[in-house]
Each structure stands twice: as structure tokens, then as C-alpha cells.
Amino acid sequence: MADKITVGHVHMSGCTGCLVSLADNYEGLFTILDNYADLVYCLTLADVREIPKMDVALVEGSVCINDPHSVEDIKKTRENATIVVALGGCAAYGNITRFSRGGQWNQVGHESFVPIGDLIDVDVYLPCCPPSPESIRNVCVMAYLLLKGNADQKALAGEYLKPLMALAKRGSDANRSSDACGCDLMYDVINQGLCMGCGTCAASCPVKAITMEYGKPNIDRDMCIKCGSCYTACPRSFFSMDLTSKFESILGAIDAAMSV
Ligand code: SF4
Ligand code: SF4
């Protein structure tokens, strides 16, 4: 087993649900921390105040642009991390924080929030509200294999992370061609005749903005909070054929790594 990687959890403006989801790996989290990753920064779990150098930064939450400290922290995270992961809908797409207009009693002036890709380059998007414990675990293991594995493991990890990297590239596109929200599901999948009516998008929506009508999803855009869950959960939007065809070996690699 090669050296561990160093991982940090950087908390911007979010509800901490992504960190709870990470912790919901239970003994899987201990396997990761025992064998693959040292947690070098996490305001909730580690007594470290300054953002250190690290291999992987898991960034949760969007950035309040009225708060210079937050803007400075996200820039420092980019400087200090080899791989930056936008963990969850808020970091990746802004999610519910996009609708903030300020006025909270303890932070009255905090009224504008943007996804981290608006301020820094992001390597990997892991959307959803929150991402599942398994998906966070798998990204951690794949980041480990990408940085420390042998040539075959690096190639496999690259395949696994490729669509998440593609989401990051698309999400940071300056012309905002995509937010991976309910609208994109409509434009990219439903309107293209690609929808097979499986209902995964409706099941994944945390605010029940999608109902299945006549076997196809109907999206209430007024209810959509732009979390990205539906778009990334849809098997017709997200998984590249490359990834699908190698899925068995990828799962095998993760299982083998997790059983160490
Ligand atoms: Fe998220 Fe639902 Fe909007 Fe899709 S429709 S982006 S799952 S809130
Ligand atoms: Fe259609 Fe994708 Fe929703 Fe399935 S998850 S119903 S394929 S849009």
C-alpha cells in the first residue's frame, strides 16, 4: 500500500449535510482514514485553523462574496490543494444558497452566494443534496488511486472521475451553458427523446419538484433549488459509455481497496 493522501474538508456556506453524509460511511470512513487518507483540515473534526497544503480538498458550500474571509479561504484552498472537489449541490451549483437575499440576524450583510467554480478552477464536481455516502467514499478512494496507485489503478480512477471532471468543466463554463439543474435535464435528456421514464430523477429530487406524469418527468421550475441531483442521477445524462462499460471493474477496484 502506497503512502496515504492528505485530505481536507473546507466548509464554506452550507448546511453541513455533506459532512454528515461522509460520516454516514461509518466503518467505511475508518477504512479510508486508516488506509488511504489523513484528514489534515476540517473545522468540525480537526483542530487546525489555517488551510494547509493537501492532496484533495473537499469543499462543501457556496461562497459568500460579501465576506472577504470566505473569498480568501476559497482562493487559498485552490492554491494549496492538488485536486479540488466541489462536494454537494451548494459548492457545485449554488443550490438553495442562490436564493439567499441576506437579512439573517447573525449575518445581515451576507446576501450573495456563488458556487465555488465562479471564483476558482474546480477539478471534480460531486453534486446532489447531499451526495450519497457511497459516492463520497468512492471519490475519496478514486482520488487515492489516481494519486498513489499503479498505472492500471490510475487509468481506472481516471475513467471513474472523468464524468465528474466533465461536470466541473461544464459547470465552470464562463457562458454558463449548464447548471446541471432541472432545466438541463429537460433540455439535454427529455427534449432530446432520451428519457426512458425510469423515475430516478423524481426519486432523487430533495424538494419533490419532479413528478412523473404519463411516464415522463414534469419539472416544477418554481420549486427547483438547483441542486443538480436529478441531472447527475439520470442514467441518460451522466454516465459516459466508457464509464458504464468499465463499471464492474471500477466497483471491483473500490471493493478491493475498501476491504484492505
Ligand atoms: Fe435538484 Fe429537483 Fe431542481 Fe433537479 S429539479 S435540480 S433534483 S431541486
Ligand atoms: Fe427520464 Fe432520466 Fe428522469 Fe429516468 S432519470 S425518468 S431517464 S429524465
Side-chain angles (χ1 to χ4, degrees):
M1 182 65 61
D3 295 339
K4 289 185 188 179
I5 57 172
T6 51
V7 175
H9 173 267
V10 180
H11 205 318
M12 306 305 291
S13 298
C15 71
T16 321
C18 299
L19 186 61
V20 172
S21 191
L22 170 66
D24 279 348
N25 276 291
Y26 298 105
E27 65 273 10
L29 181 60
F30 292 118
T31 303
I32 289 172
L33 294 176
D34 281 346
N35 299 299
Y36 308 114
D38 281 328
L39 190 65
V40 294
Y41 183 76
C42 177
L43 289 179
T44 313
L45 300 174
D47 189 18
V48 179
R49 299 292 127 183
E50 295 297 319
I51 296 171
K53 291 269 182 204
M54 58 188 123
D55 293 316
V56 179
L58 302 171
V59 182
E60 172 172 358
S62 61
V63 185
C64 175
I65 56 173
N66 311 109
D67 176 23
H69 181 67
S70 297
V71 174
E72 193 181 308
D73 270 1
I74 197 63
K75 290 186 174 167
K76 188 152 193 197
T77 299
R78 178 66 278 180
E79 278 168 33
N80 285 1
T82 307
I83 297 174
V84 173
V85 179
L87 179 64
C90 295
Y93 302 115
N95 203 0
I96 193 85
T97 66
R98 275 196 185 273
F99 300 92
S100 171
R101 297 295 177 264
Q104 294 182 86
W105 67 267
N106 54 347
Q107 293 171 325
V108 180
H110 288 193
E111 54 189 23
S112 300
F113 298 79
V114 295
I116 66 171
D118 281 14
L119 297 176
I120 61 167
D121 289 334
V122 182
D123 301 300
V124 172
Y125 270 20
L126 185 53
C128 300
C129 184
S132 68
E134 294 81 6
S135 65
I136 302 174
R137 179 203 71 183
N138 292 353
V139 163
C140 290
V141 174
M142 285 302 163
Y144 170 81
L145 294 179
L146 190 70
L147 294 171
K148 303 285 184 181
N150 60 32
D152 287 347
Q153 289 168 329
K154 281 183 199 286
L156 204 58
E159 284 300 320
Y160 183 88
L161 294 172
K162 190 158 72 176
L164 299 176
M165 290 172 167
L167 274 182
K169 194 162 184 300
R170 199 174 165 186
S172 335
D173 193 332
N175 64 21
R176 311 302 303 165
S177 61
S178 170
D179 287 321
C181 69
C183 298
D184 292 326
L185 191 73
M186 192 159 63
Y187 300 141
D188 288 4
V189 179
I190 302 165
N191 291 359
Q192 301 299 321
L194 295 173
C195 174
M196 58 185 174
C198 66
T200 307
C201 53
S204 73
C205 179
V207 294
K208 308 264 183 281
I210 304 177
T211 49
M212 297 301 288
E213 291 175 19
Y214 303 104
K216 291 289 160 65
N218 184 42
I219 300 165
D220 184 336
R221 291 200 234 179
D222 286 341
M223 289 179 67
C224 174
I225 58 169
K226 288 189 176 292
C227 72
S229 298
C230 57
Y231 189 80
T232 48
C234 171
R236 289 290 168 90
S237 75
F238 177 69
F239 283 106
S240 72
M241 294 311 285
D242 281 355
L243 179 72
T244 309
S245 61
K246 293 184 177 168
F247 201 58
E248 290 304 320
S249 55
I250 285 171
L251 288 182
I254 291 172
D255 284 347
M258 293 298 290
S259 62
V260 167

